[in-house]
Amino acid sequence: MTLDGKKIAILATHGFEQSELEVPRDRLKRAGAVVDVVSPASGEIRGWDKKDWGRPVGVDKTLDQASPSDYDAVVLPGGQINPDLLRVEQKALKFIKDIFDAGKTVAAICHAPWLLIETGIARGRKVTSYKSIKTDVANAGAKWQDSEVVVDQGVITSRNPGDLEAFSAKIIEEVREGRHNRRSAA
């Protein structure tokens, strides 16, 4: 499955779960996509690797430099810290919502469905997440499912880092499909 000519943003900040950024990034690049790490600030962001701070990752573009129209998808890594910091960043929420509104793929793993809640994308959709935010997802009007990966009209969600291969494969599949016609979720 090739993604030649496709461009994908990974939106993250400090505290992203290391594997949840690196595994999809590397799989998408191997599939031929151009992948940019987009963040509120320039330089490097530091990951969280299981129980302690992980490796830094270079930021390719800041939110001020990145345009949603340039991307075919956005990937949202989890961890507890990363999505919690991003969900109070209005530019980050607008970036995600603009990609969604254009019918492009939005993929969130672990705690990143918090960002789908903040943008209103979760409401009325089938969603999975890390089990500790199941109630948050359900209270936001989503239909929570205990599944490895859930896809609802181009919105991909996955439970945890153990599901990264299936999550990455589903991103590749959905980006290859192209734009998604989305009916009102709620």
Side-chain angles (χ1 to χ4, degrees), residues 10-18 21-22 25 36-48 53-62 77 82 85-86:
I10 297 179
L11 179 58
T13 192
H14 298 290
F16 62 87
E17 184 63 42
Q18 200 81 44
L21 185 149
E22 292 177 343
R25 178 199 62 198
D36 287 338
V37 174
V38 177
S39 190
S42 62
E44 292 182 332
I45 52 176
R46 193 155 181 205
W48 186 262
W53 289 103
R55 297 173 297 284
V57 170
V59 172
D60 298 302
K61 291 188 176 186
T62 66
N82 175 63
L85 292 174
L86 287 176

mmCIF file of all heavy atoms in Angstrom, residues 10-18 21-22 25 36-48 53-62 77 82 85-86:
data_model
loop_
_atom_site.group_PDB
_atom_site.id
_atom_site.type_symbol
_atom_site.label_atom_id
_atom_site.label_comp_id
_atom_site.label_asym_id
_atom_site.label_seq_id
_atom_site.Cartn_x
_atom_site.Cartn_y
_atom_site.Cartn_z
ATOM 1 N N ILE A 10 1.539 14.894 11.995
ATOM 2 C CA ILE A 10 1.410 14.301 13.328
ATOM 3 C C ILE A 10 1.441 15.480 14.285
ATOM 4 O O ILE A 10 2.452 16.170 14.397
ATOM 5 C CB ILE A 10 2.534 13.303 13.639
ATOM 6 C CG1 ILE A 10 2.466 12.128 12.670
ATOM 7 C CG2 ILE A 10 2.431 12.834 15.092
ATOM 8 C CD1 ILE A 10 3.555 11.077 12.885
ATOM 9 N N LEU A 11 0.316 15.733 14.914
ATOM 10 C CA LEU A 11 0.185 16.879 15.816
ATOM 11 C C LEU A 11 0.513 16.435 17.235
ATOM 12 O O LEU A 11 -0.155 15.550 17.787
ATOM 13 C CB LEU A 11 -1.236 17.434 15.744
ATOM 14 C CG LEU A 11 -1.559 18.623 16.647
ATOM 15 C CD1 LEU A 11 -0.639 19.808 16.360
ATOM 16 C CD2 LEU A 11 -3.012 19.016 16.496
ATOM 17 N N ALA A 12 1.551 17.026 17.809
ATOM 18 C CA ALA A 12 1.997 16.608 19.140
ATOM 19 C C ALA A 12 2.720 17.747 19.847
ATOM 20 O O ALA A 12 3.147 18.721 19.224
ATOM 21 C CB ALA A 12 2.924 15.401 19.029
ATOM 22 N N THR A 13 2.866 17.566 21.151
ATOM 23 C CA THR A 13 3.673 18.462 21.964
ATOM 24 C C THR A 13 4.368 17.617 23.028
ATOM 25 O O THR A 13 4.304 16.377 22.978
ATOM 26 C CB THR A 13 2.824 19.603 22.561
ATOM 27 O OG1 THR A 13 3.714 20.595 23.105
ATOM 28 C CG2 THR A 13 1.853 19.131 23.613
ATOM 29 N N HIS A 14 5.001 18.239 23.994
ATOM 30 C CA HIS A 14 5.718 17.503 25.037
ATOM 31 C C HIS A 14 4.796 16.497 25.713
ATOM 32 O O HIS A 14 3.633 16.779 25.969
ATOM 33 C CB HIS A 14 6.291 18.472 26.072
ATOM 34 C CG HIS A 14 7.288 19.416 25.501
ATOM 35 N ND1 HIS A 14 8.537 19.009 25.088
ATOM 36 C CD2 HIS A 14 7.211 20.734 25.226
ATOM 37 C CE1 HIS A 14 9.198 20.053 24.601
ATOM 38 N NE2 HIS A 14 8.409 21.114 24.675
ATOM 39 N N GLY A 15 5.359 15.321 25.991
ATOM 40 C CA GLY A 15 4.617 14.299 26.719
ATOM 41 C C GLY A 15 3.860 13.330 25.840
ATOM 42 O O GLY A 15 3.080 12.522 26.356
ATOM 43 N N PHE A 16 4.079 13.346 24.523
ATOM 44 C CA PHE A 16 3.456 12.346 23.662
ATOM 45 C C PHE A 16 4.008 10.982 24.042
ATOM 46 O O PHE A 16 5.168 10.864 24.464
ATOM 47 C CB PHE A 16 3.718 12.640 22.179
ATOM 48 C CG PHE A 16 5.179 12.616 21.803
ATOM 49 C CD1 PHE A 16 5.805 11.429 21.429
ATOM 50 C CD2 PHE A 16 5.934 13.774 21.834
ATOM 51 C CE1 PHE A 16 7.154 11.400 21.101
ATOM 52 C CE2 PHE A 16 7.286 13.757 21.509
ATOM 53 C CZ PHE A 16 7.896 12.569 21.150
ATOM 54 N N GLU A 17 3.199 9.944 23.918
ATOM 55 C CA GLU A 17 3.695 8.583 24.153
ATOM 56 C C GLU A 17 4.648 8.247 23.009
ATOM 57 O O GLU A 17 4.257 8.287 21.847
ATOM 58 C CB GLU A 17 2.542 7.593 24.218
ATOM 59 C CG GLU A 17 2.960 6.181 24.542
ATOM 60 C CD GLU A 17 3.602 6.016 25.905
ATOM 61 O OE1 GLU A 17 3.116 6.625 26.884
ATOM 62 O OE2 GLU A 17 4.604 5.275 25.990
ATOM 63 N N GLN A 18 5.897 7.929 23.345
ATOM 64 C CA GLN A 18 6.967 7.767 22.369
ATOM 65 C C GLN A 18 6.572 6.887 21.186
ATOM 66 O O GLN A 18 6.673 7.303 20.033
ATOM 67 C CB GLN A 18 8.199 7.160 23.066
ATOM 68 C CG GLN A 18 9.468 7.379 22.317
ATOM 69 C CD GLN A 18 10.042 8.772 22.553
ATOM 70 O OE1 GLN A 18 10.081 9.274 23.664
ATOM 71 N NE2 GLN A 18 10.480 9.404 21.497
ATOM 72 N N LEU A 21 3.893 8.122 18.522
ATOM 73 C CA LEU A 21 4.326 9.055 17.485
ATOM 74 C C LEU A 21 5.266 8.344 16.513
ATOM 75 O O LEU A 21 5.084 8.407 15.306
ATOM 76 C CB LEU A 21 5.021 10.271 18.089
ATOM 77 C CG LEU A 21 5.401 11.373 17.092
ATOM 78 C CD1 LEU A 21 5.348 12.742 17.754
ATOM 79 C CD2 LEU A 21 6.756 11.160 16.443
ATOM 80 N N GLU A 22 6.246 7.634 17.048
ATOM 81 C CA GLU A 22 7.301 7.084 16.205
ATOM 82 C C GLU A 22 6.846 5.934 15.309
ATOM 83 O O GLU A 22 7.245 5.872 14.143
ATOM 84 C CB GLU A 22 8.481 6.645 17.068
ATOM 85 C CG GLU A 22 9.188 7.819 17.708
ATOM 86 C CD GLU A 22 10.314 7.413 18.638
ATOM 87 O OE1 GLU A 22 10.378 6.233 19.058
ATOM 88 O OE2 GLU A 22 11.132 8.292 18.959
ATOM 89 N N ARG A 25 4.615 7.299 12.448
ATOM 90 C CA ARG A 25 5.473 8.139 11.602
ATOM 91 C C ARG A 25 6.332 7.277 10.682
ATOM 92 O O ARG A 25 6.372 7.482 9.467
ATOM 93 C CB ARG A 25 6.368 9.017 12.486
ATOM 94 C CG ARG A 25 7.339 9.896 11.689
ATOM 95 C CD ARG A 25 8.488 10.400 12.534
ATOM 96 N NE ARG A 25 9.290 9.288 13.034
ATOM 97 C CZ ARG A 25 10.141 9.380 14.054
ATOM 98 N NH1 ARG A 25 10.309 10.525 14.692
ATOM 99 N NH2 ARG A 25 10.825 8.329 14.450
ATOM 100 N N ASP A 36 5.038 15.294 8.538
ATOM 101 C CA ASP A 36 5.534 16.429 9.321
ATOM 102 C C ASP A 36 5.061 16.309 10.760
ATOM 103 O O ASP A 36 3.876 16.070 11.002
ATOM 104 C CB ASP A 36 4.986 17.757 8.772
ATOM 105 C CG ASP A 36 5.607 18.176 7.459
ATOM 106 O OD1 ASP A 36 6.717 17.716 7.139
ATOM 107 O OD2 ASP A 36 4.963 18.971 6.741
ATOM 108 N N VAL A 37 5.979 16.508 11.693
ATOM 109 C CA VAL A 37 5.598 16.660 13.092
ATOM 110 C C VAL A 37 5.263 18.134 13.270
ATOM 111 O O VAL A 37 6.096 19.007 13.027
ATOM 112 C CB VAL A 37 6.718 16.215 14.046
ATOM 113 C CG1 VAL A 37 6.343 16.526 15.496
ATOM 114 C CG2 VAL A 37 7.004 14.717 13.864
ATOM 115 N N VAL A 38 4.015 18.391 13.648
ATOM 116 C CA VAL A 38 3.508 19.751 13.830
ATOM 117 C C VAL A 38 3.264 19.957 15.322
ATOM 118 O O VAL A 38 2.709 19.080 15.996
ATOM 119 C CB VAL A 38 2.196 19.947 13.024
ATOM 120 C CG1 VAL A 38 1.612 21.334 13.259
ATOM 121 C CG2 VAL A 38 2.439 19.703 11.532
ATOM 122 N N SER A 39 3.660 21.110 15.838
ATOM 123 C CA SER A 39 3.545 21.381 17.271
ATOM 124 C C SER A 39 3.315 22.875 17.497
ATOM 125 O O SER A 39 3.621 23.688 16.620
ATOM 126 C CB SER A 39 4.835 20.933 17.968
ATOM 127 O OG SER A 39 4.694 20.965 19.371
ATOM 128 N N PRO A 40 2.816 23.247 18.658
ATOM 129 C CA PRO A 40 2.631 24.675 18.928
ATOM 130 C C PRO A 40 3.924 25.485 18.894
ATOM 131 O O PRO A 40 3.907 26.654 18.538
ATOM 132 C CB PRO A 40 2.015 24.694 20.336
ATOM 133 C CG PRO A 40 1.301 23.389 20.447
ATOM 134 C CD PRO A 40 2.188 22.419 19.702
ATOM 135 N N ALA A 41 5.056 24.874 19.263
ATOM 136 C CA ALA A 41 6.326 25.598 19.288
ATOM 137 C C ALA A 41 7.361 24.881 18.433
ATOM 138 O O ALA A 41 7.256 23.684 18.180
ATOM 139 C CB ALA A 41 6.832 25.722 20.723
ATOM 140 N N SER A 42 8.378 25.605 18.010
ATOM 141 C CA SER A 42 9.432 25.040 17.171
ATOM 142 C C SER A 42 10.475 24.319 18.028
ATOM 143 O O SER A 42 10.429 24.357 19.251
ATOM 144 C CB SER A 42 10.092 26.140 16.348
ATOM 145 O OG SER A 42 10.703 27.072 17.217
ATOM 146 N N GLY A 43 11.412 23.685 17.358
ATOM 147 C CA GLY A 43 12.511 23.014 18.053
ATOM 148 C C GLY A 43 12.270 21.531 18.188
ATOM 149 O O GLY A 43 12.065 20.834 17.200
ATOM 150 N N GLU A 44 12.283 21.068 19.418
ATOM 151 C CA GLU A 44 12.056 19.654 19.707
ATOM 152 C C GLU A 44 10.975 19.509 20.759
ATOM 153 O O GLU A 44 10.785 20.397 21.593
ATOM 154 C CB GLU A 44 13.338 18.997 20.246
ATOM 155 C CG GLU A 44 14.446 18.882 19.240
ATOM 156 C CD GLU A 44 15.673 18.190 19.803
ATOM 157 O OE1 GLU A 44 15.914 18.253 21.035
ATOM 158 O OE2 GLU A 44 16.400 17.588 19.006
ATOM 159 N N ILE A 45 10.291 18.380 20.700
ATOM 160 C CA ILE A 45 9.340 18.017 21.752
ATOM 161 C C ILE A 45 9.827 16.697 22.344
ATOM 162 O O ILE A 45 10.429 15.880 21.650
ATOM 163 C CB ILE A 45 7.894 17.908 21.223
ATOM 164 C CG1 ILE A 45 7.816 16.994 19.999
ATOM 165 C CG2 ILE A 45 7.350 19.301 20.917
ATOM 166 C CD1 ILE A 45 6.397 16.767 19.480
ATOM 167 N N ARG A 46 9.567 16.533 23.612
ATOM 168 C CA ARG A 46 10.086 15.351 24.301
ATOM 169 C C ARG A 46 8.964 14.366 24.573
ATOM 170 O O ARG A 46 7.895 14.728 25.068
ATOM 171 C CB ARG A 46 10.738 15.771 25.612
ATOM 172 C CG ARG A 46 11.562 14.684 26.208
ATOM 173 C CD ARG A 46 12.625 15.242 27.089
ATOM 174 N NE ARG A 46 13.416 14.146 27.629
ATOM 175 C CZ ARG A 46 14.073 14.229 28.755
ATOM 176 N NH1 ARG A 46 14.067 15.339 29.441
ATOM 177 N NH2 ARG A 46 14.761 13.196 29.181
ATOM 178 N N GLY A 47 9.228 13.112 24.254
ATOM 179 C CA GLY A 47 8.245 12.062 24.458
ATOM 180 C C GLY A 47 8.235 11.528 25.874
ATOM 181 O O GLY A 47 9.100 11.855 26.687
ATOM 182 N N TRP A 48 7.237 10.713 26.131
ATOM 183 C CA TRP A 48 7.128 9.971 27.378
ATOM 184 C C TRP A 48 7.224 8.509 26.985
ATOM 185 O O TRP A 48 6.469 8.045 26.124
ATOM 186 C CB TRP A 48 5.796 10.268 28.058
ATOM 187 C CG TRP A 48 5.691 9.653 29.406
ATOM 188 C CD1 TRP A 48 5.065 8.481 29.739
ATOM 189 C CD2 TRP A 48 6.228 10.163 30.628
ATOM 190 N NE1 TRP A 48 5.192 8.231 31.078
ATOM 191 C CE2 TRP A 48 5.910 9.250 31.652
ATOM 192 C CE3 TRP A 48 6.979 11.288 30.941
ATOM 193 C CZ2 TRP A 48 6.289 9.444 32.967
ATOM 194 C CZ3 TRP A 48 7.354 11.490 32.259
ATOM 195 C CH2 TRP A 48 7.002 10.579 33.262
ATOM 196 N N TRP A 53 10.543 10.196 31.003
ATOM 197 C CA TRP A 53 10.732 10.982 29.790
ATOM 198 C C TRP A 53 11.530 10.192 28.773
ATOM 199 O O TRP A 53 12.466 9.485 29.116
ATOM 200 C CB TRP A 53 11.420 12.310 30.119
ATOM 201 C CG TRP A 53 10.486 13.220 30.848
ATOM 202 C CD1 TRP A 53 10.484 13.483 32.184
ATOM 203 C CD2 TRP A 53 9.391 13.929 30.291
ATOM 204 N NE1 TRP A 53 9.442 14.322 32.491
ATOM 205 C CE2 TRP A 53 8.757 14.623 31.339
ATOM 206 C CE3 TRP A 53 8.874 14.055 29.002
ATOM 207 C CZ2 TRP A 53 7.640 15.422 31.150
ATOM 208 C CZ3 TRP A 53 7.756 14.852 28.810
ATOM 209 C CH2 TRP A 53 7.155 15.528 29.870
ATOM 210 N N GLY A 54 11.140 10.335 27.511
ATOM 211 C CA GLY A 54 11.784 9.610 26.424
ATOM 212 C C GLY A 54 12.661 10.515 25.587
ATOM 213 O O GLY A 54 13.189 11.525 26.059
ATOM 214 N N ARG A 55 12.781 10.152 24.324
ATOM 215 C CA ARG A 55 13.646 10.862 23.382
ATOM 216 C C ARG A 55 12.942 12.093 22.813
ATOM 217 O O ARG A 55 11.738 12.090 22.601
ATOM 218 C CB ARG A 55 13.994 9.936 22.222
ATOM 219 C CG ARG A 55 14.768 8.715 22.621
ATOM 220 C CD ARG A 55 14.936 7.754 21.466
ATOM 221 N NE ARG A 55 13.680 7.204 20.966
ATOM 222 C CZ ARG A 55 12.960 6.250 21.568
ATOM 223 N NH1 ARG A 55 13.354 5.766 22.730
ATOM 224 N NH2 ARG A 55 11.850 5.797 21.033
ATOM 225 N N PRO A 56 13.729 13.108 22.467
ATOM 226 C CA PRO A 56 13.152 14.251 21.774
ATOM 227 C C PRO A 56 12.910 13.922 20.299
ATOM 228 O O PRO A 56 13.584 13.068 19.726
ATOM 229 C CB PRO A 56 14.193 15.348 21.924
ATOM 230 C CG PRO A 56 15.480 14.628 22.149
ATOM 231 C CD PRO A 56 15.142 13.312 22.800
ATOM 232 N N VAL A 57 11.937 14.591 19.728
ATOM 233 C CA VAL A 57 11.618 14.487 18.304
ATOM 234 C C VAL A 57 11.606 15.904 17.758
ATOM 235 O O VAL A 57 11.049 16.813 18.381
ATOM 236 C CB VAL A 57 10.250 13.793 18.096
ATOM 237 C CG1 VAL A 57 9.791 13.905 16.653
ATOM 238 C CG2 VAL A 57 10.319 12.334 18.521
ATOM 239 N N GLY A 58 12.203 16.081 16.591
ATOM 240 C CA GLY A 58 12.229 17.399 15.973
ATOM 241 C C GLY A 58 10.873 17.814 15.435
ATOM 242 O O GLY A 58 10.121 16.989 14.909
ATOM 243 N N VAL A 59 10.557 19.087 15.592
ATOM 244 C CA VAL A 59 9.321 19.660 15.051
ATOM 245 C C VAL A 59 9.619 20.141 13.635
ATOM 246 O O VAL A 59 10.559 20.905 13.422
ATOM 247 C CB VAL A 59 8.824 20.826 15.940
ATOM 248 C CG1 VAL A 59 7.663 21.565 15.292
ATOM 249 C CG2 VAL A 59 8.460 20.310 17.336
ATOM 250 N N ASP A 60 8.827 19.692 12.684
ATOM 251 C CA ASP A 60 9.010 20.113 11.294
ATOM 252 C C ASP A 60 8.339 21.449 11.013
ATOM 253 O O ASP A 60 8.862 22.270 10.262
ATOM 254 C CB ASP A 60 8.461 19.048 10.339
ATOM 255 C CG ASP A 60 9.208 17.736 10.489
ATOM 256 O OD1 ASP A 60 10.437 17.736 10.305
ATOM 257 O OD2 ASP A 60 8.561 16.718 10.803
ATOM 258 N N LYS A 61 7.168 21.655 11.613
ATOM 259 C CA LYS A 61 6.433 22.907 11.422
ATOM 260 C C LYS A 61 5.672 23.243 12.693
ATOM 261 O O LYS A 61 5.162 22.355 13.373
ATOM 262 C CB LYS A 61 5.417 22.792 10.278
ATOM 263 C CG LYS A 61 6.048 22.675 8.918
ATOM 264 C CD LYS A 61 5.011 22.766 7.825
ATOM 265 C CE LYS A 61 5.709 22.738 6.474
ATOM 266 N NZ LYS A 61 4.780 22.953 5.377
ATOM 267 N N THR A 62 5.576 24.539 12.973
ATOM 268 C CA THR A 62 4.716 24.957 14.070
ATOM 269 C C THR A 62 3.290 25.076 13.543
ATOM 270 O O THR A 62 3.059 25.104 12.324
ATOM 271 C CB THR A 62 5.156 26.325 14.633
ATOM 272 O OG1 THR A 62 4.943 27.314 13.620
ATOM 273 C CG2 THR A 62 6.608 26.305 15.092
ATOM 274 N N PRO A 77 -1.075 11.410 18.504
ATOM 275 C CA PRO A 77 -0.567 10.472 19.489
ATOM 276 C C PRO A 77 -1.172 10.751 20.859
ATOM 277 O O PRO A 77 -1.563 11.882 21.156
ATOM 278 C CB PRO A 77 0.937 10.741 19.517
ATOM 279 C CG PRO A 77 1.227 11.624 18.366
ATOM 280 C CD PRO A 77 -0.045 12.303 18.006
ATOM 281 N N ASN A 82 0.378 14.775 26.468
ATOM 282 C CA ASN A 82 0.267 15.394 25.152
ATOM 283 C C ASN A 82 -1.155 15.872 24.831
ATOM 284 O O ASN A 82 -1.362 17.056 24.565
ATOM 285 C CB ASN A 82 0.798 14.408 24.104
ATOM 286 C CG ASN A 82 0.630 14.886 22.689
ATOM 287 O OD1 ASN A 82 1.186 15.898 22.295
ATOM 288 N ND2 ASN A 82 -0.141 14.148 21.923
ATOM 289 N N LEU A 85 -2.396 18.739 27.108
ATOM 290 C CA LEU A 85 -1.845 20.058 26.789
ATOM 291 C C LEU A 85 -2.445 20.618 25.502
ATOM 292 O O LEU A 85 -2.726 21.815 25.410
ATOM 293 C CB LEU A 85 -0.320 19.978 26.661
ATOM 294 C CG LEU A 85 0.456 19.697 27.949
ATOM 295 C CD1 LEU A 85 1.938 19.491 27.647
ATOM 296 C CD2 LEU A 85 0.259 20.808 28.972
ATOM 297 N N LEU A 86 -2.637 19.767 24.500
ATOM 298 C CA LEU A 86 -3.149 20.237 23.211
ATOM 299 C C LEU A 86 -4.619 20.637 23.264
ATOM 300 O O LEU A 86 -5.052 21.506 22.514
ATOM 301 C CB LEU A 86 -2.944 19.171 22.136
ATOM 302 C CG LEU A 86 -1.511 18.969 21.658
ATOM 303 C CD1 LEU A 86 -1.452 17.809 20.667
ATOM 304 C CD2 LEU A 86 -0.940 20.240 21.044
#
